[in-house]
Amino acid sequence: MIRFYERDPYAPIQYSYEVENILYKGKSKFQEIIVVQNPHFGRMLILDGVVQITERDEFFYHEMLTHVVLHAHPAPKNVIIIGGGDGGAVREVLKHKTVEKVYFVEIDEEVINVSRKFFPKVACDVDDPRVEIKCMDGAEFLKGRDADIDVVIVDSTDIVGFATSLFTEEFFTSVKNCLSRDGFYVTLSESLHFHKEIVIEVQETMKKIFPLVDIYTAPIATYAGNWWTFSVASKGALPREMRQKFSINTKYYSDEIHQHAFLPNKMYEKLMKRKLEW
Ligand code: SAM
């Protein structure tokens, strides 16, 4: 059996996966796209040598990326998803009946096409009439927008290459400017095991722009470091507080998970003072 060895840009270890079948291999204008079949995880989407989603566990990441902020907002209507070409975040966002419009801003159209074909249960809602697909850089899309967006979700590749435009002070300023009063911004921010300094840097940059910044985590088996962080920001609204009743269908996220996912206050303070010793 052949094996796939992951080339994660910041991981101090290498993950190795059995490959039963290579279902797709191509190169877009932006990146190499591969879909393989693994005996445990099912189909896996790999971009530039890094695992993005697997059929078996994608819901952990997509539910936690989207539902925490969508439940902290009283009635989200307008949502922007940046990246997320596999469609998993779109599927979860559309579970919220209040949502009227989703701008789905993915730089690489090929990722959406490959996902429509090989991950139909993940990309199932990308062609929903509430979704407007924009194939462009998310940072460009946000420039000069009105403040009418309730939730901005960044579901990008790791913080290298063209994804770095989504982690600058300039980008965070554009996000803040387009958010409504109760709005929330959430982004992946790597692992607390392997990338503590990156997590702190993302948080520090967000704190320069947003009045309120917080952090929560989720266990993701296939992302390097596994103990994955999500950085969340707002103009003052509290992400730890649920302003909506939990009533959607999920496999992992729940009202209990919402309360437990946030980093305990003392630990968060220690993290930001660079006093977490591991
Ligand atoms: N959940 C995955 C993870 O964390 O590994 C991310 C999945 S999703 C496929 C990542 C997508 O972000 C890719 O398809 C990539 O093309 C897109 N992306 C990266 N940088 C971007 C940018 N600046 N603007 C829009 N999309 C971007």
Side-chain angles (χ1 to χ4, degrees):
M1 181 152 334
I2 44 171
R3 299 192 78 84
F4 160 70
Y5 295 92
E6 189 177 41
R7 289 195 311 268
D8 192 285
Y10 302 111
I13 59 169
Q14 195 176 38
Y15 291 84
S16 152
Y17 297 91
E18 279 182 21
V19 173
E20 287 177 331
N21 231 326
I22 299 174
L23 302 169
Y24 178 85
K25 190 169 181 177
K27 215 167 173 37
S28 74
K29 216 167 102 195
F30 297 94
Q31 53 210 336
E32 182 188 56
I33 305 175
I34 297 177
V35 180
V36 300
Q37 181 79 34
N38 171 273
H40 179 79
F41 290 108
R43 290 183 179 183
M44 304 174 68
L45 174 67
I46 299 161
L47 298 180
D48 276 349
V50 181
V51 175
Q52 303 291 309
I53 61 161
T54 83
E55 272 181 330
R56 182 164 186 152
D57 77 343
E58 53 83 16
F59 65 88
F60 280 99
Y61 173 80
H62 290 129
E63 290 182 6
M64 290 304 286
L65 176 67
T66 56
H67 296 312
V68 173
V69 286
L70 286 164
H71 281 88
H73 192 284
K77 268 193 203 158
N78 300 322
V79 177
I80 295 177
I81 297 170
I82 295 176
D86 48 73
V90 172
R91 179 194 66 202
E92 295 304 319
V93 167
L94 289 181
K95 287 181 180 173
H96 291 256
K97 296 285 172 262
T98 55
V99 171
E100 293 172 1
K101 179 87 191 173
V102 179
Y103 297 97
F104 175 23
V105 191
E106 164 59 59
I107 204 166
D108 191 346
E109 192 174 13
E110 270 310 291
V111 177
I112 305 177
N113 292 335
V114 167
S115 302
R116 276 194 189 100
K117 184 161 179 203
F118 293 99
F119 296 90
K121 289 188 180 151
V122 183
C124 49
D125 290 324
V126 297
D127 298 310
D128 185 283
R130 287 165 288 177
V131 178
E132 187 174 331
I133 300 177
K134 297 274 185 191
C135 290
M136 63 188 291
D137 184 326
E140 285 303 312
F141 178 76
L142 281 200
K143 280 183 187 158
R145 283 202 65 86
D146 291 341
D148 62 350
I149 302 298
D150 300 310
V151 173
V152 175
I153 295 169
V154 167
D155 181 11
S156 72
T157 32
D158 287 311
I159 313 172
V160 285
F162 46 85
T164 51
S165 68
L166 307 175
F167 293 88
T168 63
E169 276 183 52
E170 191 192 354
F171 175 72
F172 294 150
T173 306
S174 303
V175 174
K176 190 175 106 184
N177 291 343
C178 80
L179 281 183
S180 58
R181 199 195 54 193
D182 289 322
F184 283 101
Y185 163 60
V186 65
T187 180
L188 68 123
S189 46
E190 311 284 333
S191 151
L192 269 184
H193 277 306
F194 291 167
H195 318 117
K196 227 175 338 124
E197 198 47 43
I198 299 176
V199 178
I200 295 169
E201 277 170 27
V202 171
Q203 285 272 321
E204 283 177 342
T205 315
M206 284 169 67
K207 281 174 191 278
K208 285 186 195 163
I209 310 299
F210 290 96
L212 197 137
V213 178
D214 210 331
I215 189 165
Y216 62 93
T217 70
I220 317 282
T222 47
Y223 293 170
N226 310 111
W227 188 15
W228 209 243
T229 67
F230 298 86
S231 290
V232 54
S234 75
K235 293 180 173 174
L238 300 172
R240 294 185 186 223
E241 203 174 276
M242 287 179 77
R243 294 171 78 188
Q244 264 186 76
K245 201 169 164 325
F246 170 63
S247 58
I248 53 166
N249 191 16
T250 52
K251 291 185 190 164
Y252 178 69
Y253 174 85
S254 69
D255 36 9
E256 257 189 311
I257 292 287
H258 191 117
Q259 304 308 333
H260 290 291
F262 284 86
L263 222 55
N265 288 327
K266 279 190 194 144
M267 192 176 182
Y268 186 25
E269 253 173 54
K270 263 183 145 178
L271 169 75
M272 296 311 293
K273 287 182 181 157
R274 291 180 165 77
K275 284 191 173 157
L276 279 188
E277 288 164 7
W278 64 74

